[in-house]
Amino acid sequence: MDLNDSPAEAAFRAEARAFLAQHAHEGRLDYYEQDTSTPELVAAAKRWQRALYESGWAALHWPQRYGGRGLGPLELKIWNQELGRAGKGASLFVVGIGMAGPTIIAHGSEAQKARFLPPMLQGDEIWCQLFSEPGAGSDLASLATRAVQDGEQWVVNGQKVWCSGGHYANFGILLARTDPKAPKHKGITYFLLDMRSPGIEVRPLRQMDGNAHFTEVFLSDVRIPDAHRVGPVNHGWSCAMTTLAHERMAIGDIDRMFSFDDLAAHARAHRDRLDPVLRDELARLYTWVRSLELLNARVISKLARGSVPAAESSVMKLAIARILSKSAELGLRLLGPEALLRKGPWQNQWLFAPSMHIAGGTDEIQKNIAAERVLGLPREPLDSRDVPFEDLPRS
Ligand SMILES: Cc1cc2nc3c(=O)[nH]c(=O)nc-3n(C[C@H](O)[C@H](O)[C@H](O)COP(=O)(O)OP(=O)(O)OC[C@H]3O[C@@H](n4cnc5c(N)ncnc54)[C@H](O)[C@@H]3O)c2cc1C
């Protein structure tokens, strides 16, 4: 694979760069520095999404008939690189554009596409993901939130946790158990939930970096119209797999979270602290970053050929978490004792980095996948796969 831009890719990069040079100051959201829950930042994020929509940059990978540009993984990569270069970090629309939208496009009805996709693209409606529960994270199929059909509606009761942005989201993608007698993967249904529905209580969870990015969501007799069910009843697991495949791609994008050039500039600014050990660790981190770029290029070339990367995404996710933690550690060591005295980007990245070892599948789960699919080690025993959910032992 040629890692240099082709003439067409170079032209696309120039187009992206020109757009960002003109607009990147709008709705700026730093990845680590700001509490994304403030109304000002939510409004700024909406303005930025609207600007992207109006200029045709809102959803490059979506099909054109749903408002995207039908572009491939290479263009998406270039766009993300340019966003990172322009200092545009996290987007509050990542669950919508990156996960809910592609799932609705793949499994939703035409009415759902017409209702939900345009406001997502235009920056009017923010989405959150209501999958994890106190007893269902890595083992997501153990989720216990219950949905019972009542005519043309579903009545939902349960508790979700770690729901990013639940306090300002307009809609959520929700997994609920609809058949407890079926084995755990087979009795789940996928819903689109209006977060203003009666019976929803959202409680923000404050993290160690001071931000309240997460929420717990309690659902008590919440009613969802059957028209907001995605896919057939009890077939939510395959819809969830579509969402999670897109989540892995969205999370595994390091270009918007970290730049080795920033760390190198930080090192040059603190060269008095650059002892041989630190230099050696910086050089080693650089080799990790380069290896990740090559792995990323392999994944993109696979995607561009139409095949689905499997274990590569897991290894990438592991590498990204490790690179973020290590670069934050080196950033703090370069600051020396000053690191303890005030808050700044390296301190923020240090506080954020542990979450990357958990979000979108923990390190241990990624290692299990790599062990089974790369090293060919025996699969984890899955004794519970055919047991009715209601007969499974639960704590
Ligand atoms: C930044 C961030 C954002 C998130 N946003 C959302 C969101 O918006 N919506 C949402 O639904 N969820 C969200 N999550 C939750 C996330 O998906 C879960 O935290 C994750 O799946 C792990 O689940 P858990 O926390 O229940 O840990 P558990 O699954 O309980 O794991 C606990 C420990 O046991 C280990 N472990 C578990 N199973 C195995 C195994 N089979 N083999 C080896 N080790 C194992 C894990 O690696 C971990 O160390 C977010 C999490 C983070 C950190």
Side-chain angles (χ1 to χ4, degrees):
M1 181 186 187
D2 184 355
L3 296 179
N4 298 311
D5 285 348
S6 68
E9 288 153 15
F12 179 76
R13 189 184 293 282
E15 189 197 340
R17 206 170 277 189
F19 169 78
L20 289 167
Q22 212 182 336
H23 298 279
H25 58 281
E26 291 171 37
R28 193 186 165 92
L29 263 187
D30 184 275
Y31 214 97
Y32 309 112
E33 275 186 78
Q34 292 161 333
D35 186 341
T36 51
S37 61
T38 64
E40 296 75 26
L41 280 166
V42 172
K46 287 185 168 181
R47 281 201 304 280
W48 172 236
Q49 183 62 28
R50 167 68 68 164
L52 291 176
Y53 169 74
E54 286 172 351
S55 311
W57 294 98
L60 301 184
H61 56 308
W62 284 20
Q64 284 175 335
R65 69 188 173 116
Y66 297 122
R69 277 170 70 171
L71 296 177
L74 258 170
E75 287 86 359
L76 201 55
K77 178 75 187 158
I78 291 172
W79 171 241
N80 280 325
Q81 284 172 342
E82 292 304 316
L83 281 171
R85 207 178 145 271
K88 299 297 277 186
S91 162
L92 302 190
F93 287 82
V94 68
V95 176
I97 308 279
M99 293 151 62
T103 308
I104 293 172
I105 289 171
H107 304 276
S109 66
E110 287 309 312
Q112 288 167 351
K113 289 172 193 170
R115 161 63 188 87
F116 294 112
L117 299 180
M120 212 180 258
L121 279 181
Q122 292 160 17
D124 293 332
E125 289 175 354
I126 296 181
W127 285 67
C128 65
Q129 180 192 22
L130 298 148
F131 282 16
S132 304
E133 298 182 5
S138 302
D139 183 13
L140 181 59
S142 289
L143 61 92
T145 290
R146 190 80 169 87
V148 177
Q149 192 156 19
D150 179 20
E152 286 301 298
Q153 295 188 322
W154 292 83
V155 182
V156 183
N157 282 284
Q159 182 193 349
K160 297 288 175 177
V161 73
W162 312 128
C163 171
S164 308
H167 38 338
Y168 51 75
N170 304 91
F171 282 88
I173 41 177
L174 170 82
L175 293 180
R177 186 153 306 278
T178 39
D179 184 1
K181 295 194 186 308
K184 62 182 180 179
H185 294 87
K186 296 188 177 156
I188 293 172
T189 301
Y190 195 112
F191 297 98
L192 309 176
L193 172 68
D194 184 340
M195 293 298 285
R196 288 154 305 180
S197 309
I200 299 182
E201 187 191 345
V202 181
R203 293 188 199 160
L205 295 166
R206 196 154 291 279
Q207 304 132 225
M208 66 178 177
D209 62 2
N211 289 342
H213 162 82
F214 293 122
T215 56
E216 290 179 291
V217 180
F218 296 84
L219 303 148
S220 309
D221 290 332
V222 176
R223 289 188 168 262
I224 304 180
D226 188 51
H228 290 183
R229 165 175 53 79
V230 180
V233 176
N234 296 328
H235 284 73
W237 191 249
S238 62
C239 302
M241 289 302 100
T242 302
T243 305
L244 295 179
H246 281 89
E247 178 176 17
R248 274 194 289 274
M249 296 309 292
I251 283 189
D253 189 10
I254 199 167
D255 294 316
R256 295 168 73 173
M257 295 185 216
F258 166 73
S259 142
F260 189 84
D261 290 349
D262 288 350
L263 183 60
H266 182 54
R268 277 192 289 274
H270 295 85
R271 52 178 81 241
D272 50 318
R273 290 216 173 81
L274 267 181
D275 58 42
V277 175
L278 248 175
R279 280 175 189 276
D280 189 52
E281 290 183 43
L282 276 166
R284 187 167 308 145
L285 178 68
Y286 181 72
T287 62
W288 292 358
V289 172
R290 287 293 295 151
S291 309
L292 176 66
E293 281 169 11
L294 295 173
L295 185 57
N296 199 354
R298 192 154 126 187
V299 168
I300 287 176
S301 115
K302 251 189 159 178
L303 283 167
R305 289 197 310 269
S307 58
V308 180
E312 290 98 330
S313 329
S314 296
V315 177
M316 271 175 65
K317 167 80 187 359
L318 275 169
I320 288 168
R322 187 183 284 194
I323 286 170
L324 274 185
S325 293
K326 189 65 191 177
S327 62
E329 178 207 317
L330 294 177
L332 289 189
R333 280 166 56 191
L334 284 162
L335 283 175
E338 184 194 333
L340 296 171
L341 298 179
R342 61 176 173 82
K343 242 186 142 198
W346 296 105
Q347 289 89 333
N348 290 329
Q349 188 183 325
W350 170 256
L351 293 171
F352 171 88
S355 73
M356 278 305 291
H357 295 272
I358 303 170
T362 65
D363 282 3
E364 290 74 21
I365 296 298
Q366 310 303 340
K367 284 181 188 168
N368 281 350
I369 294 171
E372 290 170 14
R373 298 193 200 158
V374 180
L375 304 178
L377 296 181
R379 283 180 68 83
E380 268 202 284
L382 290 170
D383 299 340
S384 61
R385 198 163 259 280
D386 298 318
V387 180
F389 174 76
E390 62 185 12
D391 294 342
L392 290 173
R394 296 179 51 76
S395 53

